[in-house]
Short mmCIF file of all heavy atoms in Angstrom, two decimals:
data_model
loop_
_atom_site.label_atom_id
_atom_site.label_comp_id
_atom_site.label_asym_id
_atom_site.label_seq_id
_atom_site.Cartn_x
_atom_site.Cartn_y
_atom_site.Cartn_z
N GLU A 29 -2.40 -10.84 -4.11
CA GLU A 29 -2.32 -11.02 -2.65
C GLU A 29 -1.79 -9.80 -1.92
O GLU A 29 -1.94 -9.71 -0.71
CB GLU A 29 -1.45 -12.22 -2.31
CG GLU A 29 -2.10 -13.56 -2.56
CD GLU A 29 -1.35 -14.70 -1.92
OE1 GLU A 29 -0.26 -14.45 -1.37
OE2 GLU A 29 -1.86 -15.83 -1.94
N LEU A 30 -1.16 -8.88 -2.61
CA LEU A 30 -0.54 -7.73 -1.95
C LEU A 30 -1.59 -6.72 -1.55
O LEU A 30 -2.41 -6.28 -2.36
CB LEU A 30 0.47 -7.10 -2.90
CG LEU A 30 1.60 -6.29 -2.26
CD1 LEU A 30 2.34 -7.11 -1.23
CD2 LEU A 30 2.58 -5.81 -3.33
N ARG A 31 -1.61 -6.34 -0.27
CA ARG A 31 -2.62 -5.44 0.29
C ARG A 31 -1.93 -4.40 1.16
O ARG A 31 -0.84 -4.61 1.68
CB ARG A 31 -3.63 -6.21 1.15
CG ARG A 31 -4.41 -7.29 0.42
CD ARG A 31 -5.50 -6.69 -0.48
NE ARG A 31 -6.34 -7.71 -1.06
CZ ARG A 31 -6.10 -8.30 -2.22
NH1 ARG A 31 -5.01 -7.98 -2.92
NH2 ARG A 31 -6.93 -9.22 -2.70
N VAL A 32 -2.61 -3.27 1.36
CA VAL A 32 -2.12 -2.25 2.27
C VAL A 32 -3.30 -1.75 3.10
O VAL A 32 -4.41 -1.56 2.60
CB VAL A 32 -1.43 -1.09 1.53
CG1 VAL A 32 -2.38 -0.32 0.63
CG2 VAL A 32 -0.77 -0.14 2.55
N GLN A 33 -3.06 -1.55 4.39
CA GLN A 33 -4.05 -0.97 5.29
C GLN A 33 -3.51 0.36 5.75
O GLN A 33 -2.35 0.48 6.15
CB GLN A 33 -4.30 -1.89 6.49
CG GLN A 33 -5.43 -1.43 7.40
CD GLN A 33 -5.80 -2.48 8.44
OE1 GLN A 33 -5.67 -3.68 8.19
NE2 GLN A 33 -6.25 -2.05 9.60
N LEU A 34 -4.36 1.42 5.69
CA LEU A 34 -3.88 2.78 5.88
C LEU A 34 -4.34 3.40 7.19
O LEU A 34 -3.91 4.49 7.54
CB LEU A 34 -4.35 3.65 4.70
CG LEU A 34 -3.92 3.12 3.32
CD1 LEU A 34 -4.59 3.93 2.22
CD2 LEU A 34 -2.41 3.19 3.17
N ARG A 35 -5.23 2.74 7.91
CA ARG A 35 -5.70 3.19 9.22
C ARG A 35 -6.04 1.96 10.06
O ARG A 35 -6.37 0.90 9.51
CB ARG A 35 -6.95 4.08 9.10
CG ARG A 35 -6.70 5.51 8.69
CD ARG A 35 -7.98 6.31 8.70
NE ARG A 35 -7.81 7.69 8.31
CZ ARG A 35 -7.50 8.68 9.13
NH1 ARG A 35 -7.35 8.43 10.40
NH2 ARG A 35 -7.38 9.91 8.69
N ALA A 36 -6.00 2.11 11.36
CA ALA A 36 -6.42 1.03 12.23
C ALA A 36 -7.89 0.73 11.95
O ALA A 36 -8.73 1.64 11.92
CB ALA A 36 -6.22 1.40 13.69
N HIS A 37 -8.21 -0.51 11.71
CA HIS A 37 -9.58 -0.96 11.41
C HIS A 37 -10.12 -0.31 10.15
O HIS A 37 -11.34 -0.23 9.95
CB HIS A 37 -10.51 -0.70 12.59
CG HIS A 37 -10.01 -1.27 13.89
ND1 HIS A 37 -9.85 -2.62 14.09
CD2 HIS A 37 -9.63 -0.66 15.04
CE1 HIS A 37 -9.38 -2.83 15.30
NE2 HIS A 37 -9.22 -1.67 15.90
N GLY A 38 -9.22 0.18 9.29
CA GLY A 38 -9.65 0.81 8.04
C GLY A 38 -9.74 -0.23 6.92
O GLY A 38 -9.46 -1.41 7.09
N GLU A 39 -10.15 0.27 5.75
CA GLU A 39 -10.26 -0.60 4.59
C GLU A 39 -8.89 -1.12 4.17
O GLU A 39 -7.86 -0.53 4.47
CB GLU A 39 -10.88 0.15 3.41
CG GLU A 39 -12.39 0.26 3.43
CD GLU A 39 -12.92 0.77 2.11
OE1 GLU A 39 -12.97 -0.04 1.15
OE2 GLU A 39 -13.28 1.94 2.03
N VAL A 40 -8.90 -2.23 3.43
CA VAL A 40 -7.69 -2.80 2.89
C VAL A 40 -7.74 -2.68 1.37
O VAL A 40 -8.79 -2.92 0.76
CB VAL A 40 -7.56 -4.29 3.30
CG1 VAL A 40 -6.33 -4.91 2.68
CG2 VAL A 40 -7.52 -4.41 4.82
N TYR A 41 -6.62 -2.28 0.77
CA TYR A 41 -6.57 -2.00 -0.67
C TYR A 41 -5.53 -2.88 -1.34
O TYR A 41 -4.43 -3.05 -0.81
CB TYR A 41 -6.22 -0.54 -0.93
CG TYR A 41 -7.22 0.44 -0.37
CD1 TYR A 41 -7.16 0.86 0.95
CD2 TYR A 41 -8.25 0.95 -1.17
CE1 TYR A 41 -8.09 1.75 1.48
CE2 TYR A 41 -9.19 1.84 -0.65
CZ TYR A 41 -9.09 2.22 0.66
OH TYR A 41 -10.03 3.12 1.19
N GLY A 42 -5.87 -3.40 -2.51
CA GLY A 42 -4.87 -4.04 -3.34
C GLY A 42 -3.85 -3.00 -3.79
O GLY A 42 -4.20 -1.83 -3.99
N CYS A 43 -2.62 -3.39 -3.95
CA CYS A 43 -1.59 -2.39 -4.29
C CYS A 43 -0.36 -3.05 -4.88
O CYS A 43 -0.23 -4.28 -4.91
CB CYS A 43 -1.19 -1.61 -3.02
SG CYS A 43 -0.24 -2.59 -1.83
N HIS A 44 0.53 -2.23 -5.36
CA HIS A 44 1.92 -2.61 -5.56
C HIS A 44 2.78 -1.46 -5.07
O HIS A 44 2.29 -0.35 -4.92
CB HIS A 44 2.20 -2.98 -7.04
CG HIS A 44 2.05 -1.85 -7.99
ND1 HIS A 44 0.83 -1.52 -8.58
CD2 HIS A 44 2.93 -0.95 -8.48
CE1 HIS A 44 0.99 -0.49 -9.39
NE2 HIS A 44 2.27 -0.11 -9.33
N PHE A 45 4.02 -1.75 -4.79
CA PHE A 45 4.87 -0.70 -4.23
C PHE A 45 6.30 -0.90 -4.66
O PHE A 45 6.71 -1.99 -5.06
CB PHE A 45 4.74 -0.67 -2.70
CG PHE A 45 5.12 -1.95 -2.00
CD1 PHE A 45 6.35 -2.11 -1.43
CD2 PHE A 45 4.20 -2.99 -1.91
CE1 PHE A 45 6.70 -3.29 -0.78
CE2 PHE A 45 4.52 -4.17 -1.27
CZ PHE A 45 5.78 -4.32 -0.69
N GLU A 46 7.07 0.16 -4.55
CA GLU A 46 8.46 0.12 -4.93
C GLU A 46 9.29 1.02 -4.05
O GLU A 46 8.76 1.97 -3.44
CB GLU A 46 8.63 0.54 -6.41
CG GLU A 46 8.05 1.90 -6.72
CD GLU A 46 7.94 2.15 -8.21
OE1 GLU A 46 7.95 1.16 -8.96
OE2 GLU A 46 7.87 3.31 -8.61
N GLU A 47 10.55 0.70 -3.94
CA GLU A 47 11.46 1.48 -3.13
C GLU A 47 11.93 2.70 -3.91
O GLU A 47 12.34 2.60 -5.06
CB GLU A 47 12.66 0.60 -2.76
CG GLU A 47 13.45 1.06 -1.58
CD GLU A 47 14.48 0.03 -1.16
OE1 GLU A 47 14.83 -0.83 -2.00
OE2 GLU A 47 14.94 0.08 -0.03
N VAL A 48 11.86 3.85 -3.26
CA VAL A 48 12.30 5.11 -3.86
C VAL A 48 13.19 5.83 -2.85
O VAL A 48 12.69 6.34 -1.84
CB VAL A 48 11.12 5.99 -4.28
CG1 VAL A 48 11.62 7.30 -4.91
CG2 VAL A 48 10.19 5.26 -5.24
N GLY A 49 14.48 5.86 -3.09
CA GLY A 49 15.39 6.44 -2.10
C GLY A 49 15.32 5.69 -0.80
O GLY A 49 15.43 4.46 -0.76
N ASP A 50 15.08 6.42 0.29
CA ASP A 50 14.97 5.79 1.61
C ASP A 50 13.52 5.44 1.98
O ASP A 50 13.25 5.04 3.11
CB ASP A 50 15.55 6.72 2.69
CG ASP A 50 17.03 6.91 2.53
OD1 ASP A 50 17.69 5.98 2.04
OD2 ASP A 50 17.53 8.00 2.88
N GLY A 51 12.60 5.63 1.03
CA GLY A 51 11.19 5.40 1.33
C GLY A 51 10.52 4.49 0.33
O GLY A 51 11.17 3.72 -0.38
N LEU A 52 9.18 4.58 0.28
CA LEU A 52 8.40 3.75 -0.59
C LEU A 52 7.39 4.59 -1.35
O LEU A 52 6.92 5.62 -0.85
CB LEU A 52 7.61 2.70 0.21
CG LEU A 52 8.35 1.67 1.04
CD1 LEU A 52 7.34 0.82 1.81
CD2 LEU A 52 9.23 0.82 0.16
N ARG A 53 7.03 4.12 -2.52
CA ARG A 53 5.88 4.67 -3.23
C ARG A 53 4.89 3.52 -3.42
O ARG A 53 5.21 2.51 -4.02
CB ARG A 53 6.28 5.26 -4.59
CG ARG A 53 5.06 5.87 -5.33
CD ARG A 53 5.46 6.69 -6.54
NE ARG A 53 6.21 5.93 -7.49
CZ ARG A 53 7.47 6.22 -7.86
NH1 ARG A 53 8.12 7.23 -7.29
NH2 ARG A 53 8.12 5.46 -8.76
N ILE A 54 3.68 3.71 -2.88
CA ILE A 54 2.65 2.69 -2.93
C ILE A 54 1.57 3.15 -3.91
O ILE A 54 1.08 4.27 -3.83
CB ILE A 54 2.00 2.47 -1.54
CG1 ILE A 54 3.06 2.04 -0.53
CG2 ILE A 54 0.89 1.44 -1.62
CD1 ILE A 54 2.56 1.97 0.89
N THR A 55 1.23 2.30 -4.85
CA THR A 55 0.17 2.61 -5.82
C THR A 55 -1.01 1.68 -5.55
O THR A 55 -0.85 0.46 -5.52
CB THR A 55 0.67 2.41 -7.26
OG1 THR A 55 1.82 3.24 -7.48
CG2 THR A 55 -0.42 2.82 -8.24
N LEU A 56 -2.18 2.28 -5.32
CA LEU A 56 -3.38 1.53 -4.98
C LEU A 56 -4.11 1.06 -6.23
O LEU A 56 -4.12 1.75 -7.25
CB LEU A 56 -4.31 2.38 -4.13
CG LEU A 56 -3.72 3.02 -2.87
CD1 LEU A 56 -4.79 3.86 -2.16
CD2 LEU A 56 -3.15 1.97 -1.93
N ASP A 57 -4.79 -0.08 -6.11
CA ASP A 57 -5.60 -0.59 -7.22
C ASP A 57 -6.89 0.19 -7.41
O ASP A 57 -7.47 0.17 -8.50
CB ASP A 57 -5.93 -2.06 -6.98
CG ASP A 57 -4.70 -2.95 -7.07
OD1 ASP A 57 -3.65 -2.47 -7.50
OD2 ASP A 57 -4.81 -4.15 -6.71
#
């Protein structure tokens, strides 16, 4: 169920993500 959208009206990608320091690292399917 986890998805990420990278642009307005752009494609949606399955992903998983994790917290790294003060940010995130997102890995796409």
